[in-house]
Amino acid sequence: MNLSSLDELVSELRSAGDFPAGLGPLLRDVPRERFVPDRAWAGDDYEPIDRTADPGEWAKAAYSNTQIVTQFDVGVTQWPAIGKRPTCSNSMPSAVLGMFAALGAERGDEVLEIGTGTGWTGAMLAHIVGSTGEVVSAEIDPRLAGEAQERLNRTGYRRVRVINRDGTTGVPDFAPFDRVISTMAVQLGRIPYAWVRQTKPGGTILTPVRADLSSGPLVRFTVHEDGTATGRMMPMGVGFMEHRLDRTPSNPDELPDWQDDSAERRTTKTKPWLMLSDAVSRWALAVALPSCRYGIEEGRLAWFRDPLTGSWASVVPDAGEGRFLVRQRGIRRLWDEAEAAHRWWIEAGQPAGPDWLWTVTPDRQAIEIA
């Protein structure tokens, strides 16, 4: 373990306020370097790192507060090539510690982890719950599951059980659990009820939730005696990969002609960049416009697109002072929907994340202001 590099990471996290009380020793007790493959991609730019060729850069990445991608495109893309979509990573230390603080796992707890990844988070959870607790980790990729179990066994965390299965179904053979933590982002309205069913009353479920217009809300649920769960957003935002079956394709190379004058046209005084550039107001749009994507060019163009129906809307400055020209095409009038949602958000007092209440029952899921 490179103690000087670890000390620098700890100092950085403390300075940024990303060092939850009581969880700091985890970084020293469960060294990240033991769970980072010899070849991977570091940071937002996916810089290839190789422990053999350049051990210094590899160690620098291992002890930095950044994500380390360990797989692209379900393993199709081989290092050092950068693929289209990351499909496994070793998460940022600040994000991991923040999620553990929100989860509140304690010694003796039985924890279900969704998304084993490299095994690092499972090892830290095992360290938290101790010898009287249990950690079960579900990993959909058989190769990743096998490699993670090998790392866990090699580093002394044999008690972490890695189960190769779709995490959305939970792991019923080892239920019920005190805590469920997912490092897989789930789509709004698709929180697996299996997690609720397999959690003890009074237990906690922590998961990132995303919509096509907004990603990153971390939601903490409490499970109740009646088999329902209610939750609220946590202050921290995170970005995690989706379930492999939920991943929607990126925007195609050929997008609509946003200035097609044969589309339906009208004008508006609502500034689209203001409603889209603010994460709080954009979440209200995400709730109202499921499946929709957006794009924004400050001061020039904003657009919405629904890949499911082919509907789209674009907004550009109009010749009139303070007005914008709206073009819409398809069975949905996406700008009308977005403007109505934004108006409702304003009239509701501009509710922020903690104002939203999430409810999950066996037959429905809802999100409302409460």
Side-chain angles (χ1 to χ4, degrees):
M1 186 193 310
N2 189 325
L3 293 179
S4 62
S5 297
L6 178 59
D7 290 341
E8 290 174 6
L9 173 60
V10 170
S11 177
E12 177 188 345
L13 295 179
R14 280 182 173 150
S15 299
D18 294 329
F19 208 67
L23 293 178
L26 278 175
L27 296 180
R28 191 178 301 274
D29 295 335
V30 189
R32 189 188 193 194
E33 67 176 29
R34 297 181 184 177
F35 295 87
V36 176
D38 289 346
R39 287 179 168 179
W41 299 263
D44 294 336
D45 296 329
Y46 306 132
E47 185 69 27
I49 55 173
D50 185 331
R51 188 174 195 171
T52 302
D54 194 338
E57 280 301 308
W58 184 94
K60 180 180 177 182
Y63 286 102
S64 64
N65 186 34
T66 188
Q67 66 166 337
I68 298 177
V69 172
T70 59
Q71 185 191 73
F72 273 103
D73 306 322
V74 198
V76 173
T77 300
Q78 298 296 309
W79 189 95
I82 298 173
K84 293 182 178 180
R85 189 189 294 269
T87 47
C88 182
S89 70
N90 186 292
S91 302
M92 293 175 62
S94 59
V96 173
L97 292 180
M99 289 185 73
F100 286 170
L103 182 68
E106 300 175 344
R107 186 163 294 275
D109 277 352
E110 295 173 319
V111 179
L112 171 61
E113 177 190 35
I114 307 298
T116 311
T118 65
W120 185 47
T121 51
M124 287 194 283
L125 285 168
H127 197 78
I128 292 171
V129 303
S131 59
T132 58
E134 184 173 34
V135 177
V136 177
S137 187
E139 172 57 57
I140 195 171
D141 187 309
R143 178 180 173 184
L144 295 178
E147 291 175 348
Q149 189 70 76
E150 287 179 8
R151 291 189 194 98
L152 288 161
N153 293 347
R154 188 170 61 244
T155 53
Y157 291 95
R158 294 177 178 273
R159 291 183 298 103
V160 179
R161 301 174 186 262
V162 180
I163 309 296
N164 175 212
R165 64 179 293 148
D166 182 347
T168 61
T169 63
V171 185
D173 291 347
F174 294 93
F177 300 97
D178 297 289
R179 321 270 173 175
V180 175
I181 179 172
S182 175
T183 56
M184 171 191 74
V186 296
Q187 281 277 351
L188 176 67
R190 298 184 191 171
I191 296 159
Y193 186 72
W195 298 353
V196 180
R197 187 169 54 246
Q198 294 173 31
T199 302
K200 299 174 185 177
T204 299
I205 298 171
L206 186 73
T207 182
V209 179
R210 74 173 308 280
D212 288 298
L213 279 173
S214 182
S215 65
L218 182 66
V219 185
R220 183 173 63 194
F221 291 90
T222 298
V223 175
H224 306 293
E225 292 278 358
D226 62 359
T228 65
T230 55
R232 295 190 183 273
M233 290 187 195
M234 303 303 295
M236 68 177 289
V238 293
F240 282 99
M241 301 165 194
E242 297 173 82
H243 185 275
R244 292 188 176 183
L245 298 180
D246 280 342
R247 290 172 186 157
T248 50
S250 58
N251 288 318
D253 294 334
E254 293 187 11
L255 291 168
D257 177 5
W258 304 123
Q259 301 195 48
D260 179 359
D261 283 333
S262 67
E264 179 183 296
R265 298 169 53 165
R266 74 175 184 86
T267 60
T268 181
K269 289 190 175 182
T270 303
K271 296 179 179 178
W273 9 94
L274 292 183
M275 56 195 278
L276 285 170
S277 60
D278 181 82
V280 177
S281 64
R282 194 169 66 249
W283 179 250
L285 302 187
V287 173
L289 279 74
S291 81
C292 289
R293 310 288 183 82
Y294 80 98
I296 184 170
E297 297 177 21
E298 188 70 31
R300 292 186 295 163
L301 168 71
W303 56 263
F304 293 94
R305 176 176 169 271
D306 177 11
L308 298 181
T309 66
S311 303
W312 59 266
S314 67
V315 188
V316 296
D318 191 33
E321 184 176 348
R323 292 191 309 176
F324 300 86
L325 176 62
V326 178
R327 294 178 174 89
Q328 300 183 98
R329 181 182 291 283
I331 62 174
R332 297 181 67 179
R333 294 297 178 261
L334 295 181
W335 175 256
D336 296 351
E337 293 180 35
E339 197 169 38
H342 185 67
R343 189 182 309 115
W344 169 87
W345 178 73
I346 295 291
E347 292 172 354
Q350 303 183 27
D355 299 320
W356 295 90
L357 176 68
W358 308 63
T359 303
V360 180
T361 75
D363 3 72
R364 64 183 289 270
Q365 298 191 18
I367 175 172
E368 58 189 342
I369 302 301

